[in-house]
Amino acid sequence: MTGVVHVVGAGLSGLAAAVRLSEAGRTVLVHESAGHAGGRCRSYHDPKLGMTIDNGNHLVLSGNGATFAFLDRVGGREALAVHARAEFPFIDLAAGERWTLRLNQGRVPWWILDPARRVPDTRATDYASILRLLSARPGTKVSDVLPCEGELYERLWRPVLLAAMNIDPRDADATLTAQVLRKTFGEGGHACRPVIAHGGLSEAFVDPASRFLKARGGVVRHNVRLHRLAYEGGRVVGLVFSDGSMRLAPGDQVILALPPRATADIVPGLEVPTDHRGIANIHFAVNCPADMPRLTGVVNGLSDWIFAFPDRISVTVSATDGDDTSRPELAHRIWTEVSYVTGRYMTRLSDIPPPWQVIREKRATFAPTPEAARLRPRTRTEFRNLFIAGDWTDTGLPACIEGAVRSGDKAAWTAMEASG
């Protein structure tokens, strides 16, 4: 006999779990502490800019299978724009040089043989060094197996891995980094085409999932914070929220889709990653021409990636832990770089930034170090009806949309298997 599945947390991992369960006919009740769903993957109307923006820039790639399966399930795929080719424009602010990395579609990377497709001032033989990561031993850092210097590292591997891992790549877990490369460059250009949520993250992920759940009888409770779980006989028997308590029936189950620290506070004896890294996103209200690249990588700058939307430019700065730059100063410094990068596409921009918004997430992702890799928990817990989801769990990927969806899917399947 199956009962209610309580999903605590309406971020992307919680939504993915709830959608899977609802699709399978399970009764789902989602509890969310905020007044909205989506967590770190959502959009909101910003009154300062007078437009809808994302709370963070999230890059999806065409090879993210779990993500696209989720979008197809809830009906959100049409809200994403998939680039026709795996092309990534870059600019080196120190050298004033521009180039475009162009991957070929298939798995055999013949693009590295073409100087017009690879990083300037690199040789085809330079790219073989990355193969050392594929045989890295557990517990090693990237810097233990890969030379973290030179033109190729600074102009390709560092910006790409910084975006994927949100940590100085030298300190990242080597085996986890190798998995990222296998799922991207290793799969060929057909898996590396950039995917942009042109209408916003909520339009693609959150709103369709919410409609999907509602159409199948799922309920999402907002503004209710879980304080603790009640345990008895090796299972969860109750949930204590800010608005009261719920006693669980014998067939009920619980999926916690919360940040690591909040999960550890609730689950006795659970070890979780404790080191995190921040991300800053700076949004400028400015009209972008149609021929401007939707995504540009920046080398030797404060900016890491510049996203161009029709009505705004959004810039991502990764691994911002310890940065105490004021919001106005950060916006002005980033705008100086944006003005230079967009110079060939737009009329000379003013030195004074247009209306801007800075969004800082101090604990955006867990830091994917070798130490953190050992602390990522699995989906099952020691309690028979309690399961864990989140991009910080043992997904085989760093913190990202694909990892969040995978974790939610796995938690849902594991809960259904456990219910018999």
Side-chain angles (χ1 to χ4, degrees):
M1 179 179 178
T2 57
V4 176
V5 182
H6 295 266
V7 178
V8 183
L12 194 52
S13 59
L15 290 175
V19 164
R20 277 283 189 184
L21 290 161
S22 294
E23 184 183 46
R26 296 294 300 270
T27 301
V28 179
L29 182 54
V30 181
H31 313 272
E32 169 56 46
S33 63
H36 51 76
R40 291 183 288 105
C41 179
R42 65 180 180 88
S43 310
Y44 76 98
H45 180 78
D46 188 272
K48 181 178 179 180
L49 297 181
M51 65 178 63
T52 297
I53 61 175
D54 295 329
N55 64 337
N57 295 315
H58 295 263
L59 178 63
V60 175
L61 295 177
S62 53
N64 292 159
T67 299
F68 278 99
F70 171 81
L71 293 168
D72 288 338
R73 193 170 295 115
V74 302
R77 181 186 279 256
E78 294 303 315
L80 295 180
V82 183
H83 286 210
R85 293 174 294 277
E87 295 185 348
F88 297 86
F90 280 90
I91 182 169
D92 185 331
L93 295 183
E97 189 172 7
R98 299 174 186 262
W99 68 94
T100 299
L101 190 76
R102 295 182 173 90
L103 279 63
N104 57 284
Q105 289 288 84
R107 290 187 176 185
V108 178
W110 61 259
W111 61 271
I112 66 175
L113 302 176
D114 185 349
R117 286 176 171 263
R118 63 177 187 248
V119 176
D121 302 321
T122 63
R123 301 167 300 177
T125 53
D126 296 337
Y127 293 76
S129 63
I130 201 69
L131 297 176
R132 301 176 189 176
L133 273 176
L134 304 184
S135 58
R137 300 188 309 274
T140 57
K141 298 187 298 184
V142 169
S143 59
D144 293 331
V145 295
L146 182 69
C148 297
E149 59 185 5
E151 291 291 325
L152 182 58
Y153 176 77
E154 294 296 338
R155 289 184 160 193
L156 178 59
W157 301 130
R158 184 184 183 280
V160 166
L161 295 179
L162 178 63
M165 313 298 282
N166 194 36
I167 190 176
D168 186 327
R170 295 173 296 183
D171 300 324
D173 180 75
T175 55
L176 184 59
T177 305
Q179 182 66 1
V180 170
L181 292 173
R182 289 189 186 97
K183 294 296 183 181
T184 53
F185 287 85
E187 294 291 331
H190 76 93
C192 297
R193 290 175 294 150
V195 180
I196 305 294
H198 50 78
L201 294 169
S202 287
E203 184 178 315
F205 292 93
V206 183
D207 297 341
S210 298
R211 291 192 294 267
F212 183 96
L213 293 174
K214 184 177 181 180
R216 287 157 181 78
V219 176
V220 181
R221 301 173 65 232
H222 290 289
N223 300 307
V224 288
R225 183 175 297 276
L226 179 66
H227 289 319
R228 63 183 179 88
L229 300 175
Y231 301 94
E232 184 179 301
R235 62 187 300 272
V236 178
V237 296
L239 301 93
V240 181
F241 292 98
S242 54
D243 66 341
S245 302
M246 289 186 178
R247 186 75 180 178
L248 299 190
D252 290 353
Q253 297 171 306
V254 178
I255 293 176
L256 293 181
L258 300 171
R261 180 181 293 178
T263 306
D265 289 343
I266 292 170
V267 182
L270 183 70
E271 289 189 308
V272 301
T274 56
D275 189 14
H276 289 75
R277 295 291 183 271
I279 293 178
N281 289 277
I282 305 89
H283 305 271
F284 300 98
V286 59
N287 294 325
C288 297
D291 62 340
M292 182 175 170
R294 298 299 143 204
L295 177 68
T296 301
V298 180
V299 178
N300 288 319
L302 180 58
S303 307
D304 289 318
W305 295 89
I306 297 177
F307 294 77
F309 298 91
D311 59 353
R312 69 190 186 279
I313 289 176
S314 298
V315 180
T316 296
V317 182
S318 302
T320 58
D321 50 301
D323 179 16
D324 58 358
T325 305
S326 70
R327 296 173 72 253
E329 181 183 355
L330 181 61
H332 279 73
R333 290 176 62 187
I334 293 294
W335 181 247
T336 299
E337 296 182 352
V338 168
S339 299
Y340 182 82
V341 172
T342 60
R344 66 165 55 177
Y345 304 103
M346 304 174 69
T347 304
R348 171 66 182 172
L349 299 174
S350 170
D351 293 335
I352 301 175
W356 55 266
Q357 183 62 274
V358 173
I359 302 175
R360 280 188 168 118
E361 181 68 48
K362 293 184 178 180
R363 297 172 61 85
T365 69
F366 76 96
T369 61
E371 294 74 22
R374 292 192 291 268
L375 294 173
R376 300 179 76 178
R378 297 184 177 181
T379 305
R380 288 184 180 272
T381 70
E382 63 178 289
F383 303 97
R384 295 190 299 276
N385 63 337
L386 177 62
F387 312 93
I388 299 174
D391 62 8
W392 55 273
T393 61
D394 189 14
T395 66
L397 295 173
C400 59
I401 286 179
E402 178 75 359
V405 174
R406 283 190 185 187
S407 74
D409 285 346
K410 187 174 182 181
W413 286 117
T414 305
M416 289 187 284
E417 291 172 357
S419 67

